[in-house]
Amino acid sequence: MHVNLVSDTATQPTPAMLEAMFSAPVGDDVFRQDPTVNELEAFAAQLMGMESALFCPSGTMTNQLAIKVHTRPLDEVICEEKSHIYQYEGGVYSLISNVSLNTLHGERGKLLPGQISAAVKPEYDWLPRTRLVVLENTCNKGGGSIYTLAEAETLVKEARQHGLGVHLDGARLFNALAETGESPADWGKLFDTVSICLSKGLGAPVGSLLLGPETEIREARRYRKVLGGGMRQAGYLAAAGLYALRHHRDRLRKDNERARKLAEVVSRQPYVASAEKTESNICIFHLQDRSAETYLRQLSEHGIQATPFGQKTVRFTTHLGVDDRQIDYVIECLPKLAGRNQ
């Protein structure tokens, strides 16, 4: 049996999603003439309670477009040190927006009350201007940690007191909402801009959306084009995202449950030193007696793939391409790796 726990980006389009893609009406999106892209953007904006949306190739692009429209050169962005914009986007904020990041040590990728106020810099000529706060929900490197709406409201209020913009990297937001039961629109109304990813747990093959006020999205659209993100008959891809938003949000709870089931068994293995709290579809654990490289090789002998997340740290990620039968198989295999530290 083969089980791919590398990432929720490993999903394949379902037959129904493929049918939606093949039958999508398309046009030239750069000229705003692709009806399926337009439908996706309108649907997502309404879902999130926001004015406008922009379909982009990736979450890195949507996050970086948000930073670009919120800041000017020599500004500073506050984020938690585990944030995707800092860890996994190539430092491109310095190239595209000419800004710096002020990375704070929070808790499992989440900022804590009071940290924003303490980090805002005074207005001196020799300091960057603090302009924007970015929160990530769920936080990948934090083990899929979830902000509740109440937690986010506290932090956004704190940011507003200092006149700062607030952007939500909501790549896996719907995994969080599957647990909290909160409304997407309530989250959208809280932030200036929101990025959501369609190609992770939602299961589309490509794409992310940046949502926000019409003025900011219009500006982001211009930057998307000059950065090479203006796609032509993009409706074939947008159709997959539209199908995902309409049909795949509810099933994310199942992915979260499967990850927690894995985490419970992982934490009991003698070769595991500790496992992070598993709230959504990401299970991160730390090995006691072997390297991540060694452990991944041992897993591969049983047809199981996962991701190294440090020298002795491993990540399992569940998604629509992994079913209960495969989860049970992984659980059956885990004890077989005990005593094999080489």
Side-chain angles (χ1 to χ4, degrees):
M1 183 180 292
H2 177 253
V3 186
N4 188 340
L5 297 172
V6 171
S7 174
D8 46 9
T9 59
T11 58
Q12 298 291 311
T14 63
M17 182 181 286
L18 284 171
E19 177 59 30
M21 295 170 70
F22 290 144
S23 61
V26 297
D28 190 332
D29 181 50
V30 173
F31 287 94
R32 308 291 299 276
Q33 293 177 351
D34 190 300
T36 308
V37 173
N38 294 342
E39 185 180 2
L40 169 64
E41 292 173 345
F43 179 85
Q46 182 178 27
L47 178 68
M48 295 296 300
M50 306 186 84
E51 284 185 358
S52 191
L54 179 66
F55 182 49
C56 295
S58 71
T60 293
M61 179 173 280
T62 50
N63 281 335
Q64 294 304 320
L65 289 177
I67 292 173
K68 182 67 176 174
V69 299
H70 284 301
T71 65
R72 295 183 298 174
L74 303 181
D75 284 348
E76 178 183 81
V77 178
I78 292 173
C79 67
E80 212 279 341
E81 63 187 4
K82 290 182 170 65
S83 295
H84 194 278
I85 62 167
Y86 175 62
Q87 295 285 343
Y88 299 118
E89 298 185 12
V92 70
Y93 49 85
S94 61
L95 177 67
I96 296 174
S97 299
N98 306 122
V99 298
S100 57
L101 295 190
N102 186 355
T103 57
L104 309 182
H105 178 70
E107 185 177 280
R108 297 173 57 241
K110 298 164 58 178
L111 293 178
L112 302 173
Q115 285 191 301
I116 294 171
S117 294
V120 175
K121 287 184 168 54
E123 289 280 343
Y124 293 139
D125 292 343
W126 55 90
L127 295 176
R129 293 187 180 95
T130 308
R131 292 290 190 192
L132 179 67
V133 175
V134 177
L135 306 183
E136 183 181 342
N137 194 22
T138 68
C139 181
N140 172 26
K141 202 169 178 64
S145 56
I146 293 175
Y147 279 110
T148 65
L149 185 62
E151 289 173 331
E153 286 172 339
T154 297
L155 296 171
V156 170
K157 181 180 179 181
E158 189 176 326
R160 301 286 190 210
Q161 290 171 346
H162 298 279
L164 307 181
V166 284
H167 170 67
L168 176 66
D169 176 0
R172 294 181 174 91
L173 175 62
F174 292 106
N175 284 90
L177 300 189
E179 293 303 307
T180 65
E182 295 161 349
S183 162
D186 286 342
W187 277 84
K189 292 170 184 175
L190 184 60
F191 289 83
D192 295 312
T193 52
V194 175
S195 168
I196 58 174
C197 189
L198 304 170
S199 62
K200 292 187 170 70
L202 289 172
V206 174
S208 288
L209 288 156
L210 179 64
L211 302 105
E214 176 60 35
T215 51
E216 277 81 355
I217 297 303
R218 188 183 308 117
E219 187 74 0
R221 188 180 299 275
R222 181 171 182 269
Y223 288 125
R224 183 191 70 170
K225 183 65 176 75
V226 300
L227 292 173
M231 300 176 285
R232 299 297 179 173
Q233 285 71 40
Y236 297 116
L237 300 175
L242 190 59
Y243 184 90
L245 285 176
R246 284 175 169 160
H247 300 283
H248 286 176
R249 286 183 287 136
D250 290 342
R251 62 154 308 281
L252 293 173
R253 178 180 290 275
K254 194 66 178 176
D255 291 342
N256 297 346
E257 291 172 354
R258 287 167 176 154
R260 287 195 293 269
K261 185 176 180 180
L262 278 177
E264 183 181 350
V265 177
V266 162
S267 65
R268 297 199 302 264
Q269 302 310 307
Y271 52 79
V272 172
S274 63
E276 301 287 342
K277 181 180 180 182
T278 300
E279 296 182 284
S280 55
N281 70 317
I282 293 174
C283 168
I284 293 177
F285 56 98
H286 310 284
L287 298 164
Q288 189 162 256
D289 61 353
R290 69 200 75 177
S291 68
E293 180 182 1
T294 296
Y295 186 69
L296 292 176
R297 186 181 69 250
Q298 293 166 350
L299 283 174
S300 69
E301 293 171 4
H302 296 273
I304 303 167
Q305 293 179 287
T307 301
F309 237 49
Q311 188 175 7
K312 300 182 76 172
T313 302
V314 173
R315 184 187 76 175
F316 288 165
T317 308
T318 54
H319 50 83
L320 64 78
V322 179
D323 58 24
D324 288 329
R325 183 174 57 92
Q326 291 169 305
I327 294 295
D328 290 341
Y329 172 74
V330 174
I331 288 172
E332 177 186 315
C333 291
L334 291 177
K336 297 176 182 179
L337 304 184
R340 296 186 57 193
N341 57 7
Q342 292 183 0

